[in-house]
Amino acid sequence: MALAGTSHAESRRFQRPKQGNQLLDWCFDWGTGCGEKAATAWCKNKGFAKALTFSKWPDVGDTQPTRLIGSGAVCDQKMCDAFRFIVCATSGSQTFSDPKQGSYRLDWCYSWGNGCGAQAANAWCKSKGFAGGASSFTIAADIGDSQPTRLISTGAVCDQKMCDGFSSITCEQ
């Protein structure tokens, strides 16, 4: 789940993160809190605010035991999953320049002439996994003829000069 953009958060990538002497298990506790919850708990233990991105390493437990961050239990069965990597961040904002919807610039409006600015920016941030939506955004006016824009609601494309897009959007976790 990699996203391009300028991050306001300081981040660090950890390859094959460990909990104690074992690989960090994919789940916080047995079969629950898998993925984001376990990754964020691990990042918080390291002094970061949360996990930005991470990747699953499936079925490694029989050769490389994993440790649950919630209970500290060790899993040594083939079915046990670990993290290939985790990217931890000090805060949860990220700024995207010239955001795109597919291969086109994101249109300033959510639908034709409606939901312009905040509604479109919030929907785009949420579609990228930023639950907090958009905290700020700037317009790129009259770009449609040189850089067509795409509505986030329907996917319709605008290629007329009057079509506006976003110059930047800052998304929050």
Side-chain angles (χ1 to χ4, degrees):
M1 146 177 178
L3 299 172
T6 303
S7 178
H8 288 283
E10 182 179 323
S11 63
R12 182 170 168 201
R13 182 184 177 108
F14 297 90
Q15 288 294 131
R16 298 174 54 174
K18 292 192 172 189
Q19 181 67 11
N21 293 326
Q22 283 83 27
L23 291 172
L24 175 64
D25 194 274
W26 180 250
C27 296
F28 184 83
D29 212 342
W30 297 116
T32 63
C34 303
E36 185 176 2
K37 181 175 181 177
T40 293
W42 189 84
C43 288
K44 286 182 176 183
N45 283 348
K46 298 289 181 197
F48 291 87
K50 64 188 194 136
L52 281 180
T53 61
F54 45 85
S55 176
K56 186 177 186 178
W57 189 3
D59 302 328
V60 299
D62 60 340
T63 58
Q64 299 183 64
T66 63
R67 183 176 298 271
L68 299 161
I69 193 165
S71 66
V74 173
C75 187
D76 60 3
Q77 303 298 307
K78 181 171 176 47
M79 67 181 180
C80 304
D81 303 324
F83 287 88
R84 284 189 194 279
F85 71 85
I86 298 175
V87 176
C88 299
T90 55
S91 72
S93 70
Q94 191 169 0
T95 300
F96 299 87
S97 297
D98 302 332
K100 295 192 179 240
Q101 181 69 7
S103 59
Y104 295 95
R105 293 281 297 270
L106 176 64
D107 196 274
W108 181 251
C109 296
Y110 181 79
S111 60
W112 295 127
N114 293 303
C116 302
Q119 184 178 354
N122 282 325
W124 188 82
C125 288
K126 288 180 180 179
S127 77
K128 301 299 179 199
F130 290 87
S135 59
S136 66
F137 45 87
T138 56
I139 192 170
D142 300 328
I143 63 169
D145 60 343
S146 62
Q147 297 178 55
T149 62
R150 181 177 299 251
L151 295 172
I152 193 165
S153 62
T154 64
V157 173
C158 184
D159 60 2
Q160 304 298 309
K161 179 173 176 41
M162 66 181 180
C163 302
D164 300 328
F166 286 88
S167 178
S168 68
I169 299 176
T170 299
C171 299
E172 301 292 332
Q173 286 294 336

